[in-house]
Amino acid sequence: MLRSWLLLGGLFWAVCAAAWAQVPKAEEVVPGVWFVQGVSALGSAANRNFISNAAFVVTNDGVVVIDALGSPPLAQELLAEIRRVTDKPVRQVIVTHYHADHVYGLQTFKAAGAEVIAHARSAEYLQSDTARLRLEASREDLFPWVDETTHLVPPDRRLTGPVTLTLGGLRFEISHAGPAHTPEDIVVWVPEKRVLFVGDLVFRGRIPFVGLADSGAWVQALDRLLAYDAALIVPGHGAVSAQAREDLQLTRDYLLHLRNSMGKAAADLEPFEDAYAHTDWSRFEHLPLFRAANRINAYNTYLLMERQGR
């Protein structure tokens, strides 16, 4: 029995040591705009759910944060990075969408006095069984970083249309881009910096998580993003992009490949397993998380195209 406890204790501290190796470090990508990049992996206790990006913009009157990372301890470290850069207060946290890896850190910023801003359609997720069950599972799978004290934080300001937030002389133009990756997707444009924060509309350098998304509307949202005169795009996953068209195109092309291949199979009444085996995935199979995400992406797209074809 003692040996078993010692082994479990050793395993726990090994997980902790691995997790602490993944620490958010803020990088200034343009003057006043800072970025932390999550790892290209599935969320786990070993990485503390540090699989998404977050950013913050320092203005003369305070700080605006975009997304809050995937656990309260990560958010505490992001807040420490903000404090390393500036002693100005965090005024707002803008949530691009309510997926767990972007919002489990919100309670840290709420406790620090920040206003949480998100689209009104976030209520659909917050009130769902999916959100409740996901949090219950995360308290098990991501323990001790997500535990019984971790809770979902609803927005203080619910947007129903375009809004311009002005702080310290900078404009933050917030627009609804969904339904796309999620019903509540929003993008944040800072014209003075020519920086566009796009959340999970763009997965740079890795396979997107499509889930139950409306991939057709997602493609249309990506087309609209090309109209911005962005010098930098900050995606929800992957590195900051100075090649907007190229990186938007990768996500767009992947979604279209899913829709074209699975749509044809559904229309021809070809069983999914056969369709998946016959599809040429060579353009995408080298990307991170292809093995983890592609099959379920294809299956969900097959079901979507089947429903839309009826």
Side-chain angles (χ1 to χ4, degrees):
M1 179 68 73
L2 177 60
R3 176 175 290 184
S4 296
W5 280 109
L6 288 173
L7 287 172
L8 286 173
L11 178 60
F12 174 81
W13 287 111
V15 168
C16 290
W20 282 111
Q22 305 291 344
V23 176
K25 289 296 182 184
E27 171 193 1
E28 191 173 27
V29 292
V30 300
V33 179
W34 297 75
F35 166 75
V36 298
Q37 182 178 339
V39 298
S40 288
L42 300 178
S44 67
N47 59 37
R48 297 187 294 168
N49 210 28
F50 184 30
I51 60 171
S52 66
N53 300 336
F56 60 94
V57 182
V58 180
T59 80
N60 292 332
D61 293 336
V63 179
V64 175
V65 176
I66 294 91
D67 287 339
L69 299 180
S71 66
L74 285 173
Q76 289 284 0
E77 290 172 24
L78 177 57
L79 187 58
E81 285 291 280
I82 295 171
R83 293 288 171 257
R84 178 176 65 82
V85 171
T86 179
D87 60 359
K88 292 181 173 65
V90 176
R91 301 291 190 187
Q92 284 93 11
V93 179
I94 302 172
V95 181
T96 61
H97 64 295
Y98 263 83
H99 276 177
D101 53 322
H102 295 261
V103 301
Y104 281 172
L106 276 175
Q107 65 193 65
T108 296
F109 289 101
K110 183 68 175 174
E115 177 188 38
V116 177
I117 300 173
H119 194 270
R121 291 196 67 176
S122 59
E124 298 173 21
Y125 177 76
L126 288 165
Q127 296 167 7
S128 69
D129 286 339
T130 299
R132 177 181 58 81
L133 293 172
R134 177 66 184 271
L135 182 55
E136 289 176 3
S138 295
R139 287 169 174 162
E140 297 286 335
D141 299 340
L142 303 176
F143 184 83
W145 320 111
V146 173
D147 61 18
E148 69 280 358
T149 68
T150 306
H151 58 274
L152 288 166
V153 176
D156 300 300
R157 193 189 310 187
R158 297 167 174 83
L159 307 182
T160 57
V163 169
T164 298
L165 167 71
T166 302
L167 185 68
L170 281 183
R171 289 175 296 149
F172 297 80
E173 298 179 1
I174 309 170
S175 301
H176 185 212
H181 178 66
T182 68
E184 71 272 14
D185 288 312
I186 59 176
V187 297
V188 183
W189 170 236
V190 184
E192 290 85 355
K193 304 289 185 179
R194 293 183 60 209
V195 176
L196 181 65
F197 302 90
V198 297
D200 281 7
L201 291 176
V202 176
F203 286 67
R204 189 175 183 214
R206 56 155 281 191
I207 290 293
F209 171 69
V210 177
L212 300 177
D214 183 340
S215 53
W218 190 346
V219 169
Q220 293 173 13
L222 290 170
D223 289 340
R224 291 193 295 272
L225 294 185
L226 290 170
Y228 286 89
D229 182 29
L232 283 180
I233 284 184
V234 179
H237 298 265
V240 168
S241 169
Q243 299 173 310
R245 184 168 295 275
E246 178 180 322
D247 288 310
L248 290 173
Q249 196 71 36
L250 176 62
T251 300
R252 186 181 186 280
D253 287 355
Y254 175 71
L255 294 173
L256 285 176
H257 188 64
L258 286 176
R259 290 179 62 81
N260 291 337
S261 57
M262 294 300 106
K264 183 178 185 304
D268 293 344
L269 302 180
E270 182 180 13
F272 169 74
E273 293 294 339
D274 293 343
Y276 189 83
H278 297 154
T279 299
D280 179 7
W281 302 110
S282 58
R283 182 180 172 189
F284 307 102
E285 62 188 0
H286 68 284
L287 294 172
L289 295 183
F290 176 85
R291 291 185 179 278
N294 189 65
R295 189 180 189 86
I296 189 64
N297 286 346
Y299 182 65
N300 285 338
T301 304
Y302 180 91
L303 296 178
L304 172 70
M305 302 306 290
E306 191 176 50
R307 289 194 302 272
Q308 291 182 348
R310 287 173 183 165

